[in-house]
Amino acid sequence: MIYQKSKAKNILANKTDIRNIVADTMDKMATVVGATLGPGGRAVLIERDGLAPLVTKDGVTVAKSLGVANAEANVVIEAAKEICLNTAKEAGDGTTTAIVLANAITKHGLSFLEENSKYNPQRMINELNQAYEDVVVPFLKENSKKATTEEELVSVAKISANGDEKIARSVVKAVMAAGEDGTVLVEEAQGHQIRVETMDGFVVTSGLKDLGQLGPIFINDRANQQSKMDNGLVFLYDGTLNDLKAPSMVQQIIEGTDNYGKPIVIFAHGFADVVMDRLAKTTKGGYTVVPIKTPMTGVANSRSMFLYDMAAYTGAKVFDPGTIDELDESDLGSFKNAKINLYEGVITCDHNLDAVEDRVAELKAIAAAAPSDFDRMHIKAAIGKLTGGISTIWVGGGSELEAREKKARVEDAVEAVRSAIAEGVVPGGCGVHLTLSAVLEKHPSSKPSWKILSEALKAPFNLLLSNCGEDYSEILKLMAPHISAEGALPAMIFDANAHEIVSPLEAGVIEPAKVCRVSIGNALSVAALLITLGGMVVVPRDAGLENQLALSKQAFQDMMSGAGVGQE
């Protein structure tokens, strides 16, 4: 093994210096990201390498852009940022709230330890986690209201999309069309419009082009360059068809029956030349038999998994070289319509709901045991295909940058709506945070350290009012009659947009319970990381060198893309 020296690094072990760096950095981070909170939030101007400056009111985008010259402060930002950004990834919204809460918990936590020098920091963190698990999570689960109407979901999406009602309604339309386990895709499009496309049926991500040169022979709809079939049969083979045994058996078992003459779709991992030649001649002779290669994803055994998905959807049985001799007419599946173009196909049928539900349950179990997010993503897509729900939201903009910013808001709104459907909704306007604060203060199992979380939960409401020009102490007095420590959600909250006390359900000021739960949990994770720091080891930053490297990278990219060719 070759010995390699480590880079020169700064080592910081002074507790006072660490506490000051953490407190100052988190405060700066919360200030700039928190400026976007609520309807009274302000936009932030962000400079970007090689691109025009961006003006955005999206807290996630602002958080991602953060970085400072000081190496110690920058590593604090990176650590806190990574955890808080998971809030939007997991729940679709709440990143700004998570960062504001993280700052407040860190600040109150550091002050608590300074006043109680003999209090074990790890004990304090454990007690705060206990408050979260024993009080916050049960409270939200017990008091959340199931989102039952389209307007409630629109209200949730609208808040996540920064008040854009057109985005909100498009997102809700797409999610409802896809269904609970369906797939919602968000893609960039030309023009300024945002539109939703839905697709019914089982989508096959494999087409005639994958069959090679003989693929186009199976096209019978020349205008649309596809093979179009109605009321046909499905045969599934877990392997490569190297001879004509299986196709011949299929033909033999349907001869003389009502199924004879119906179009047949054959799914297999591959087809030998002799098989392709026979199927092509059969199709040319007027008897449509279309081969399709089973699509492959990055998931292990994905081809076989696809066949069992198709079996559940069409009612077919999956055969392999060891079981092909058992083939019977009842083992063939059926479809109402099938359209196979060069790149993909769509199959629709009257599927057996029980079989589909059983297969979906199997896939969910496989997803739960999957080793990576990549695997889970593909399995979730398979569930979406089975349930017949795939929606695509096409997002356009005046420029590429505007389209990307709008696309990010659409993605957040989709996750927020899914969160609302999954765990219900609670009153917005930080009313839940104030109620949780009161519950923690009066809880019979309350511990001294719980005051940290109780006080920190007031911070988002304070900032929300500050951004819309209201006085915190004055509005808090107006809200006091509506905040109960007995465990009931507030019937009235302060609407920062209308500047008045309103009913959250009537005014549409609601948020997913999952967003509230995840933002508080992630804020506690940040605080647990930063409050208990005993030292820091960081690589010194050289702003001049980093700028030179960035310019060199940009120049190389310009050269590779042909920019500047032929210019002086």
Side-chain angles (χ1 to χ4, degrees):
M1 181 178 178
I2 300 175
Y3 173 74
Q4 186 176 4
K5 286 186 177 180
S6 61
K7 294 180 180 179
K9 298 177 182 177
N10 291 342
I11 299 175
L12 188 64
N14 185 288
K15 292 183 180 179
T16 303
D17 290 343
I18 293 174
R19 184 168 61 247
N20 291 337
I21 288 172
V22 168
D24 292 345
T25 304
M26 286 301 298
D27 197 54
K28 288 178 181 177
M29 185 178 183
T31 300
V32 67
V33 177
T36 67
L37 182 67
R42 306 294 195 271
V44 176
L45 178 64
I46 303 172
E47 182 182 15
R48 301 176 300 169
D49 292 336
L51 296 170
L54 175 67
V55 178
T56 181
K57 192 177 171 290
D58 181 37
V60 177
T61 305
V62 176
K64 286 180 179 179
S65 70
L66 295 178
V68 293
N70 181 275
E72 290 79 7
N74 195 66
V75 78
V76 171
I77 285 180
E78 292 299 326
K81 182 168 66 174
E82 183 178 359
I83 296 173
C84 290
L85 288 175
N86 285 334
T87 307
K89 182 180 178 183
E90 187 176 348
D93 201 4
T95 299
T96 303
T97 305
I99 292 175
V100 172
L101 277 171
N103 176 49
I105 296 171
T106 302
K107 182 169 65 176
H108 289 296
L110 291 173
S111 298
F112 180 85
L113 291 176
E114 195 171 358
E115 295 169 2
N116 303 272
S117 57
K118 294 184 179 181
Y119 215 92
N120 187 329
Q122 193 57 52
R123 174 191 166 193
M124 180 193 76
I125 294 300
N126 290 339
E127 290 175 354
L128 290 177
N129 286 330
Q130 182 189 358
Y132 175 72
E133 296 292 343
D134 295 349
V135 180
V136 174
V137 174
F139 177 86
L140 292 173
K141 284 185 177 180
E142 292 168 9
N143 291 282
S144 61
K145 174 186 177 295
K146 188 174 182 180
T148 55
T149 68
E150 183 176 339
E151 286 305 314
E152 287 177 345
L153 294 177
V154 168
S155 297
V156 169
K158 188 176 178 181
I159 292 173
S160 188
N162 285 334
D164 193 319
E165 186 165 349
K166 190 171 184 180
I167 287 180
R169 293 198 175 277
S170 298
V171 164
V172 172
K173 178 182 176 182
V175 172
M176 293 185 74
E180 181 181 352
D181 296 311
T183 301
V184 178
L185 305 174
V186 183
E187 303 288 349
E188 291 183 28
Q190 299 294 324
H192 297 263
Q193 299 299 315
I194 176 170
R195 69 181 192 277
V196 177
E197 292 180 359
T198 58
M199 185 178 295
D200 295 324
F202 193 105
V203 178
V204 181
T205 56
S206 178
L208 300 177
K209 189 176 181 181
D210 297 302
L211 299 173
Q213 293 181 344
L214 291 179
I217 290 177
F218 299 94
I219 293 176
N220 58 16
D221 180 1
R222 296 291 173 184
N224 296 303
Q225 287 293 289
Q226 65 182 5
S227 177
K228 184 177 179 181
M229 297 162 281
D230 297 319
N231 300 318
L233 305 173
V234 177
F235 173 63
L236 306 177
Y237 189 78
D238 192 1
T240 299
L241 289 174
N242 293 312
D243 53 44
L244 297 172
K245 178 181 178 180
S248 299
M249 290 184 67
V250 172
Q251 186 174 4
Q252 289 172 10
I253 63 173
I254 63 174
E255 281 185 358
T257 69
D258 292 339
N259 286 324
Y260 188 72
K262 289 184 178 181
I264 302 174
V265 176
I266 298 178
F267 287 95
H269 301 339
F271 301 88
D273 291 343
V274 63
V275 177
M276 285 295 299
D277 184 59
R278 173 61 65 87
L279 296 181
K281 288 179 179 178
T282 301
T283 300
K284 275 189 172 183
Y287 188 3
T288 305
V289 182
V290 179
I292 303 178
K293 285 187 177 181
T294 50
M296 181 174 61
T297 64
V299 180
N301 202 33
S302 60
R303 286 181 165 176
S304 294
M305 288 178 64
F306 168 85
L307 289 172
Y308 283 98
D309 293 344
M310 183 61 74
Y313 188 75
T314 62
K317 182 178 178 181
V318 180
F319 289 90
D320 57 42
T323 60
I324 188 63
D325 292 330
E326 303 170 8
L327 179 65
D328 188 73
E329 183 185 1
S330 61
D331 296 325
L332 299 177
S334 61
F335 63 83
K336 289 174 61 179
N337 308 103
K339 297 178 182 178
I340 316 295
N341 61 32
L342 293 174
Y343 303 99
E344 64 180 5
V346 179
I347 293 178
T348 58
C349 69
D350 295 324
H351 51 267
N352 185 315
L353 290 177
D354 291 336
V356 170
E357 287 176 2
D358 290 343
R359 181 56 182 166
V360 168
E362 286 180 11
L363 289 173
K364 287 182 177 179
I366 295 172
S372 68
D373 289 340
F374 179 79
D375 288 356
R376 279 186 285 275
M377 177 187 71
H378 282 288
I379 296 170
K380 184 179 178 182
I383 293 173
K385 291 178 183 179
L386 263 179
T387 55
I390 296 180
S391 298
T392 304
I393 305 175
W394 295 94
V395 183
S399 65
E400 184 180 351
L401 299 179
E402 182 186 343
R404 286 182 181 177
E405 191 270 339
K406 192 183 290 186
K407 180 184 175 186
R409 284 191 285 143
V410 170
E411 290 171 341
D412 288 348
V414 168
E415 289 304 318
V417 170
R418 287 202 181 281
S419 295
I421 293 172
E423 297 186 18
V425 294
V426 293
C430 300
V432 173
H433 296 83
L434 294 178
T435 303
L436 282 169
S437 176
V439 169
L440 286 169
E441 283 182 2
K442 304 294 184 181
H443 199 276
S445 302
S446 181
K447 295 177 173 57
S449 59
W450 285 20
K451 188 172 178 61
I452 297 169
L453 184 56
S454 176
E455 289 298 317
L457 285 168
K458 298 175 183 177
F461 186 63
N462 191 348
L463 184 59
L464 179 72
L465 296 178
S466 176
N467 284 349
C468 68
E470 295 285 355
D471 182 74
Y472 172 71
S473 57
E474 182 181 330
I475 301 300
L476 194 60
K477 288 179 182 177
L478 295 176
M479 282 291 295
H482 308 291
I483 303 299
S484 169
E486 304 302 320
L489 289 174
M492 305 293 284
I493 55 102
F494 181 77
D495 185 349
N497 191 39
H499 295 265
E500 60 184 4
I501 305 292
V502 298
S503 166
L505 293 177
E506 292 178 6
V509 185
I510 54 178
E511 66 175 335
K514 185 177 180 180
V515 170
C516 191
R517 174 180 64 80
V518 172
S519 62
I520 296 173
N522 285 344
L524 275 171
S525 297
V526 173
L529 174 72
L530 299 179
I531 292 175
T532 57
L533 285 180
M536 299 176 72
V537 181
V538 299
V539 178
R541 301 195 70 177
D542 186 333
L545 178 60
E546 289 179 7
N547 287 334
Q548 288 180 3
L549 290 173
L551 289 172
S552 298
K553 182 179 179 181
Q554 184 64 43
F556 178 75
Q557 290 175 344
D558 290 345
M559 179 184 71
M560 294 302 292
S561 63
V565 176
Q567 298 179 5
E568 293 295 324

